[in-house]
Amino acid sequence: MTMASQLFSPIQLRGLTLPNRIVIAPMCEFSAENGNATDWHLIHLGHLALSGAGLLIIEATGVEPRGRITPECLGLYNDENEAALARVLEVARKYSKMPIGLQLGHAGRKGSLRNPADGQGRGHATEAEGGWQTIGPSPLPFAADWPAPKEMDRQDMDEVSAAFVQATVRCERLGIDLLEIHGAHGYLISSFLSPLANQRHDSYGGSLENRMRFPLEVFEAVRAAWPEHKPLGVRFNGTDWDERGISTEEAVLFGQALAARGCDYADISSGGNGFAKIPSGPGYQVRFASRVKDGAVMPTMAVGLIREPAHAEAIIASGQADMVAIGRGFLNDPRWPWHAAEELGVRIEVPFPYSRAATRADIPSYAR
């Protein structure tokens, strides 16, 4: 492999070395049964593990039943969930050496949604549809036609923190290489950080110091339960795209607080706490990753409509971010790293049965 490409250079996160900077972003599949991974996950994660990316992160996984986004979302809160995911991982690892991470999440007030695949939209699921009472920092519904969440008290916070810890222990038993806490998009951790969702009047609301108190408690609990040699990152918003919400300056301060507590990288996204119009486009969130990288002095992962290999290469080469996470691009092209390698003149290792797939005349075959 040539080292001319920064995108295909390795990166060290604690005891884990990623062979390149391409990350398969966690993507909800709405295909679990009672939180259990199914044959769909076996196919989905299995073929992505053959893609040549540096890291595969499993979709947002609820740490308790009420932490799922929909009744069909993945969970890791009981032995059955753990066994189902173990089956998927066993098969994927049989054919791939790719590091596998997992995103631990709690949907908070944005949970209990109908499965978008049922054609009824993203409305709130009723009890008959498998829905549940949601929780949040304040009793504010995300949308006008949604039920209000229960305002979390100390017992709720302790239960959620304990659920994150138990899921972390299960991840270690499963041999997960990296953990990411989902603190973006208006889900529970994100809602505590944002004034749009957090309007508490106690020590967990008001100032940024107060609003990030519970998110930092969760992080510290997970870091203490996760092996010292394994990396732990957090996905959080670089902005809410609303002057009343979290600002980029606050995001940097949150990143600094995380870095001081042993966070290994920040995965910077945006939005989801309200209905602000987001000016999306290729790399529209990269500048937020760059701000957090510089301000918090911590590696960052850039996300958001990064589709072209040259664009991804430029992000890494310019130092705007240390990794690029691609979601929809992988759904469209599960062999994205192969094509990026061809375009950037890099040879990468792929499974032998696929080694005849090279298309460029100057790269007669992939390394095997």
Side-chain angles (χ1 to χ4, degrees):
M1 184 186 77
T2 177
M3 296 303 292
S5 167
Q6 293 303 303
L7 182 64
F8 283 92
S9 66
I11 182 172
Q12 186 82 21
L13 298 171
R14 294 199 182 230
L16 178 66
T17 301
L18 306 185
N20 60 61
R21 312 301 182 96
I22 304 167
V23 177
I24 302 172
M27 293 174 279
C28 292
E29 294 301 296
F30 309 109
S31 300
E33 297 175 358
N34 298 316
N36 298 330
T38 63
D39 287 348
W40 174 260
H41 294 90
L42 189 65
I43 296 169
H44 172 66
L45 296 173
H47 84 92
L48 289 177
L50 302 177
S51 68
L55 173 68
L56 165 61
I57 303 181
I58 296 171
E59 67 188 88
T61 302
V63 298
E64 58 176 6
R66 64 182 174 178
R68 295 170 296 166
I69 301 169
T70 74
E72 294 77 24
C73 282
L74 204 61
L76 194 54
Y77 44 78
N78 60 34
D79 293 343
E80 189 179 6
N81 297 159
E82 185 177 339
L85 189 54
R87 168 179 169 262
V88 172
L89 291 169
E90 180 182 10
V91 174
R93 288 172 174 148
K94 184 177 180 179
Y95 299 102
S96 173
K97 297 181 293 183
M98 183 183 294
I100 299 178
L102 184 143
Q103 187 185 71
L104 291 177
H106 195 297
R109 69 175 185 161
K110 293 181 74 174
S112 190
L113 298 187
R114 295 191 188 99
N115 187 336
D118 67 11
Q120 300 183 64
R122 294 295 297 273
H124 205 275
T126 65
E127 185 175 346
E129 295 170 318
W132 55 86
Q133 170 65 61
T134 59
I135 57 175
S138 302
L140 301 172
F142 175 67
D145 57 344
W146 291 19
K150 174 185 180 292
E151 181 172 291
M152 293 174 67
D153 56 23
R154 184 67 260 175
Q155 180 177 340
D156 293 317
M157 293 183 196
D158 290 342
E159 289 176 357
V160 169
S161 290
F164 268 94
V165 169
Q166 286 302 309
T168 299
V169 172
R170 293 183 186 279
C171 284
E172 169 57 12
R173 286 202 293 260
L174 288 167
I176 295 295
D177 299 299
L178 169 150
L179 277 186
E180 179 173 289
I181 296 173
H182 197 346
H185 302 166
Y187 298 120
L188 186 64
I189 300 299
S190 179
S191 67
F192 264 89
L193 290 167
S194 176
L196 293 173
N198 183 349
Q199 296 182 17
R200 299 175 71 100
H201 299 289
D202 61 4
S203 60
Y204 290 90
S207 67
L208 176 63
E209 179 183 6
N210 286 356
R211 283 184 277 119
M212 65 184 185
R213 191 182 306 276
F214 179 63
L216 292 175
E217 288 176 359
V218 170
F219 178 85
E220 290 173 342
V222 171
R223 182 68 270 179
W226 190 232
E228 179 68 22
H229 69 282
K230 291 191 175 185
L232 172 63
V234 179
R235 184 174 217 184
F236 60 93
N237 283 358
T239 179
D240 275 338
W241 299 102
D242 187 320
E243 62 183 11
R244 301 167 300 169
I246 190 169
S247 66
T248 304
E249 290 72 22
E250 288 184 327
V252 170
L253 292 173
F254 181 54
Q256 291 173 351
L258 288 170
R261 289 163 172 79
C263 186
D264 297 297
Y265 72 90
D267 178 0
I268 305 301
S269 191
S270 66
N273 274 302
F275 297 93
K277 185 175 181 180
I278 299 176
S280 64
Y284 70 103
Q285 298 173 140
V286 172
R287 67 183 186 273
F288 306 125
S290 181
R291 287 282 300 278
V292 173
K293 172 183 168 72
D294 293 341
V297 193
M298 175 169 55
T300 58
M301 189 181 294
V303 302
L305 300 180
I306 300 168
R307 287 290 188 93
E308 300 301 323
H311 185 198
E313 174 72 25
I315 290 169
I316 303 301
S318 65
Q320 293 175 281
D322 301 276
M323 295 162 278
V324 293
I326 299 172
R328 292 175 177 85
F330 267 99
L331 296 181
N332 176 266
D333 179 6
R335 303 292 180 257
W336 193 93
W338 299 13
H339 304 139
E342 288 182 336
E343 181 173 321
L344 298 173
V346 175
R347 297 184 67 179
I348 61 174
E349 182 178 351
V350 303
F352 175 75
Y354 290 167
S355 60
R356 293 166 292 174
T359 58
R360 279 182 41 169
D362 59 329
I363 304 179
S365 67
Y366 289 108
R368 49 184 188 264

